[in-house]
Every structure is written in C-alpha cells, then in structure tokens.
Amino acid sequence: MQTNSSETSQSTNLQYVHWFRHSAPYINAHRNKTFVIMFDGEAVQHENFQHIIHDIALLHSLGIRLILVHGARSQINQNLKTSGIQTPFHNHRRITTRESLSCVMNAVGSIRLQIEALLSMGLANSPMYGARIDVISGNFVTAKPYGIRDGIDFQLTGEVRTVDTDAIQRHLKNHNIVLLGPTGYSSTGEVFNLVAEEVATNTAILLKADKLIFLGKQQGLVNEFGQLQREIAPHQLDRQILQYQDSNPDIALQLRGAKNASLQGVHRVHLISYTYDGALLEELFTRDGAGTMMTDAHYEDVRTATIQDVGGLMNLLRPLEAEGILVYRSRERLESEIEQFSVIERDGMILACAALYPIPTSANEIKSAEIACVAVDPTYRKSNRGSQILHYLEDKAKSLGIQQLFVLTTRTAHWFVEHGFEAASVDDLPNARQALYNYQRNSLVFKKSL
C-alpha cells in the first residue's frame, strides 16, 4: 500500500509539473494584458466563488491587469421580496422605481464589500497568503436614463454613457484591481440601475481590453450534438442569442455582449462556468480551455477543401515536396483525397493546408488518425496559421471520435512537439499504418492523445 501511495503521489506531481511547464507560454502571453471579468450575483452566492477569488488573486500576481464587474440580480430580488416591493420587467429589463432604488443600492454595496473582503484575505496556509491586493471601486461609470421604450418609462433604469478609462488605467498601472458594479451615476448626481453585462462589455470595448470573460452558470455553448463548442465566430452568435432570448435571458445578454465586444476590437471573449472549480485557470492556461471562446479571427477562414482548391494546394505543396519535406502527391491523388484536406483561404489564395487521414484500426486498437501535409505559404509562416489549422483538425478528429493522432515527419519534429505531440516509434502505429511505413524515408513518429 505504501508503494502504491508513493507511485500515485509521484504521478500526480508529474502531471502538475507537466501542466505548469506547458502553461509558461500562456503566462508570458498574458502578462501586462488587460482582462475584464464579469460574474453575476448568483456566482457570488455560489460555494465555488471563494475558489474564483483565489484564481483572480493568482492572475493578479502573474501581472494581469484586472477589472472585475459584478451583477446583483438575485440579491436585488431578495431585497425587494423582503421589503414587499415589486418591480415589473419589460423585454427582460427591470423597471427601477424610486421606491426600489434603495434595495438596488443595498444589494450592490453589500456585494462590493463582500468581494473586497475576500480579496483582502491573507491567512497563512491559504492561497491568499501574502497576496496583498488593493481593490479600487468608485464612480468610473457615467450613466444616462434608459428612457421610454414602447411607451414604458423605465425610470431609474439606465444604460452606460461612458467609462472613465483614464482613471481606470491609472489604477491598473499601480497594480490595483478595479471593481465595477451594475450602477452608474449621472452629472446631476442620480444613481441608475444598469445591466452588469452591458457595463462589462462597454468597459472592455472602451479600454481596448485584451479579453472579456463572462462567468455564467453553464460551461459554454454546445452544438446540435450536445458537444461543447470550443470556439465560435461572432457572426455565428445570432442563432444562439435567439435561442436563449426567452429561455435564459442572462445567457442571451452575455452572448449579445460577446458579439458586440468581438466586433468592436476585443479579440477574445470567453464564456465559462462559475460552478466549475478551476475553469478560469483552465480556460486561460491550457490549449483546449474550459468553455467557449468567441473570436473574429481564429477559425473564420479555415474550411474543408473542395476540388476547386487542388491548384492552390499544388502551388503550396510542390516546393516542399521538391525539398523532400513532404511526400509527393500527384494531382489525381490530391483530387481523390480532397475531402481529407482543410485549408485557410484569403481572397482566393490558399495560405495553409493540412490533411486528416483516419487510420483503419482493429477492435483492440485505439481509434487513430494521421495528420499530414501541414504546409503554410512562406509569406505567412510567422502568422500562427499552422497552429490554427492544426487545432482545427484536432477538433475535427474529436468530433469523429478519434482518440489518438499521429504525425510522421523528417524536418518539423520540434514544431509538433511544441504543439503537444510526443515522440513515439513505428511500433506505436496501428497495424494498418505500420504496413505502409516507408523505411527508406525513415520519418520520425509522434503521437498525441486527444
């Protein structure tokens, strides 16, 4: 038993070391970047929120500039119920009466104090020990009345007029965390009840934030097969917004904010779950993440090749085949295997390509596939397009139930290792692929578990 316990401990430690080493590129990439993180009132009440605070403190310690935006719907509802006050809704937006404003302010103030207290923890033997975080909140958001819509006066419900980005930037440069709530102030001194998702979205856009992160109840978006969508483009969100508009308006608000932010300069918007311990770290420091990322750049131009692409593929592959980097493929073979290829196209030009070949496997073999013909136009080899198309094929392989990927290469071993592949041998290949191995070419074999 002692030996087994020791081996288990060693295995756990090795997994941790492996994860920590592979998180280094993300740590370097995120340092001095600006992230806006939004979570609603239910998240604050959830048992996992203390872990979220620990992870936020860790992000701060890694040099990430953080603006936190909290909601308060559930707390406002509880205060109104306790006070015996009812506030109507129209189009899923609360009509804030003067009578109800004190309930709003009490809820928002209480949450702010709770978050500040959690970020001030410094008990020994806790994740917050020695963190020493200064949290700044204030009148950073200027609001205006939402006005009369469909003949209905929304009274003290407002919308964002502007955000004092200069003041926020000063506090971020001083290594402070900025905390915003769902309230804003007018030049006449009035307080308006705002939608927290809109505060977060406007703040991210005006600050030109590097990321906007929504912590919601669900893990992310799923496709028609119930599979988590790791990435989605903003123009694909309209159907999802309509889908959730009535069934779950909170998610619809987040998706609308994600679309607006993506189209207005925020390159990465993430939707993850506040109920999942470690979701924030997994989303930011692993390749696959823990939720859904919205981006206007990553997969937008990656698609399955068609017969019309054969000429462009030949132009891309022939120079590499002449150098012996890739195996020669005739035009006829390319045409017959065209459905295995994926390409990145811009303005009619094929910038990158790669192929995914499922490998026939027996009942006792792991379902596998081979990635081949990874090629990027020389002009674009520093543009990350090779990584884009590789990740695209990995997701395609997962959707096909592939559990293991192989690559055979003579020149680009280091590139595949950087993308998570590990050295293997010919004997590790499925029997059907071993039979076709070219010993004269003597390619190195690498594999990756999905």
Side-chain angles (χ1 to χ4, degrees):
M1 290 295 293
Q2 186 176 359
T3 302
N4 291 338
S5 176
S6 176
E7 289 177 353
T8 301
S9 176
Q10 184 178 13
S11 175
T12 302
N13 289 339
L14 286 174
Q15 290 176 2
Y16 169 76
V17 170
H18 178 80
W19 177 86
F20 195 68
R21 284 172 177 163
H22 282 79
S23 68
Y26 300 100
I27 293 173
N28 292 325
H30 297 332
R31 186 177 292 113
N32 295 323
K33 295 297 194 299
T34 300
F35 295 179
V36 177
I37 302 176
M38 185 269 158
F39 43 85
D40 61 22
E42 289 187 6
V44 178
Q45 295 173 324
H46 195 271
E47 60 183 2
N48 190 50
F49 189 66
Q50 186 165 331
H51 296 145
I52 293 173
I53 289 292
H54 294 163
D55 293 343
I56 286 171
L58 176 57
L59 298 183
H60 179 261
S61 71
L62 293 174
I64 298 171
R65 300 176 176 183
L66 298 174
I67 301 98
L68 309 181
V69 182
H70 71 82
R73 287 189 196 97
S74 59
Q75 289 85 346
I76 292 172
N77 290 338
Q78 184 59 49
N79 285 356
L80 291 170
K81 182 179 180 180
T82 301
S83 301
I85 300 172
Q86 292 186 344
T87 55
F89 282 77
H90 181 67
N91 288 336
H92 307 294
R93 191 178 295 260
R94 190 191 304 274
I95 299 170
T96 309
T97 62
R98 291 197 176 276
E99 181 187 27
S100 66
L101 185 61
S102 61
C103 294
V104 173
M105 295 174 66
N106 287 338
V108 173
S110 174
I111 293 173
R112 177 175 61 82
L113 291 172
Q114 182 180 350
I115 294 171
E116 289 177 351
L118 288 171
L119 286 170
S120 299
M121 290 190 303
L123 291 175
N125 301 318
S126 80
M128 299 292 292
Y129 182 66
R132 187 65 186 98
I133 299 171
D134 290 325
V135 186
I136 305 296
S137 56
N139 57 341
F140 299 114
V141 179
T142 301
K144 60 182 178 181
Y146 193 66
I148 299 173
R149 309 285 178 104
D150 300 325
I152 296 173
D153 186 356
F154 280 80
Q155 301 183 50
L156 292 176
T157 297
E159 58 183 338
V160 177
R161 181 189 294 273
T162 188
V163 178
D164 191 348
T165 56
D166 289 339
I168 291 176
Q169 291 284 21
R170 286 197 299 272
H171 289 298
L172 295 178
K173 288 178 181 177
N174 289 329
H175 308 292
N176 301 321
I177 289 179
V178 174
L179 178 62
L180 306 177
T183 53
Y185 309 92
S186 72
S187 56
T188 59
E190 286 185 298
V191 179
F192 288 98
N193 182 22
L194 308 178
V195 176
E197 289 82 357
E198 294 178 0
V199 174
T201 300
N202 280 275
T203 301
I205 293 170
L206 293 171
L207 275 173
K208 297 180 173 59
D210 299 283
K211 288 184 183 291
L212 169 59
I213 301 169
F214 289 109
L215 287 165
K217 185 174 292 185
Q218 68 179 48
Q219 185 178 0
L221 300 176
V222 296
N223 59 22
E224 61 270 26
F225 305 109
Q227 299 168 323
L228 179 66
Q229 291 182 272
R230 298 291 182 181
E231 300 202 19
I232 190 169
H235 68 267
Q236 296 175 304
L237 290 174
D238 290 334
R239 182 179 62 84
Q240 305 272 10
I241 293 170
L242 287 174
Q243 175 186 338
Y244 289 110
Q245 184 65 55
D246 295 319
S247 62
N248 199 326
D250 290 354
I251 295 178
L253 276 172
Q254 293 178 352
L255 296 182
R256 192 174 289 110
K259 179 182 177 181
N260 292 338
S262 293
L263 294 177
Q264 296 187 64
V266 180
H267 298 302
R268 298 287 185 269
V269 183
H270 303 260
L271 181 64
I272 58 178
S273 173
Y274 62 73
T275 67
Y276 174 31
D277 187 10
L280 195 55
L281 300 183
E282 192 172 322
E283 180 71 9
L284 294 174
F285 298 104
T286 66
R287 179 175 290 116
D288 291 332
T292 300
M293 181 173 74
M294 296 80 171
T295 171
D296 62 351
H298 198 61
Y299 284 165
E300 194 166 356
D301 298 323
V302 185
R303 59 172 175 80
T304 300
T306 67
I307 198 70
Q308 287 77 25
D309 296 317
V310 171
L313 286 174
M314 291 176 64
N315 291 336
L316 197 60
L317 298 176
R318 288 296 181 257
L320 298 174
E321 292 170 350
E323 292 182 45
I325 297 174
L326 296 179
V327 175
Y328 173 77
R329 282 171 169 78
S330 66
R331 185 183 187 95
E332 291 75 17
R333 183 179 175 185
L334 285 174
E335 289 178 353
S336 66
E337 297 177 352
I338 194 64
E339 292 183 356
Q340 314 298 336
F341 279 81
S342 296
V343 297
I344 297 179
E345 175 200 6
R346 193 174 76 181
D347 297 331
M349 178 181 177
I350 304 299
L351 303 183
C353 73
L356 179 71
Y357 293 97
I359 301 173
T361 50
S362 60
N364 62 342
E365 290 181 318
I366 298 174
K367 193 171 183 180
S368 303
E370 179 182 354
I371 286 181
C373 288
V374 180
V376 180
D377 185 277
T379 309
Y380 296 92
R381 282 181 185 162
K382 294 184 179 180
S383 65
N384 205 38
R385 283 181 170 84
S387 299
Q388 290 180 24
I389 203 163
L390 178 62
H391 295 160
Y392 179 84
L393 289 185
E394 288 179 0
D395 281 349
K396 182 178 179 180
K398 290 176 185 177
S399 70
L400 295 173
I402 303 296
Q403 299 170 280
Q404 187 170 235
L405 291 175
F406 287 94
V407 293
L408 280 72
T409 181
T410 58
R411 304 276 190 92
T412 55
H414 283 88
W415 188 82
F416 284 106
V417 170
E418 289 169 0
H419 287 79
F421 284 80
E422 298 177 349
S425 67
V426 176
D427 294 336
D428 292 317
L429 292 167
N431 292 329
R433 185 63 183 87
Q434 284 188 41
L436 299 175
Y437 181 80
N438 186 341
Y439 284 92
Q440 184 175 356
R441 185 170 169 80
N442 196 28
S443 298
L444 296 173
V445 180
F446 292 86
K447 66 179 180 180
K448 182 177 183 179
S449 297
L450 296 180

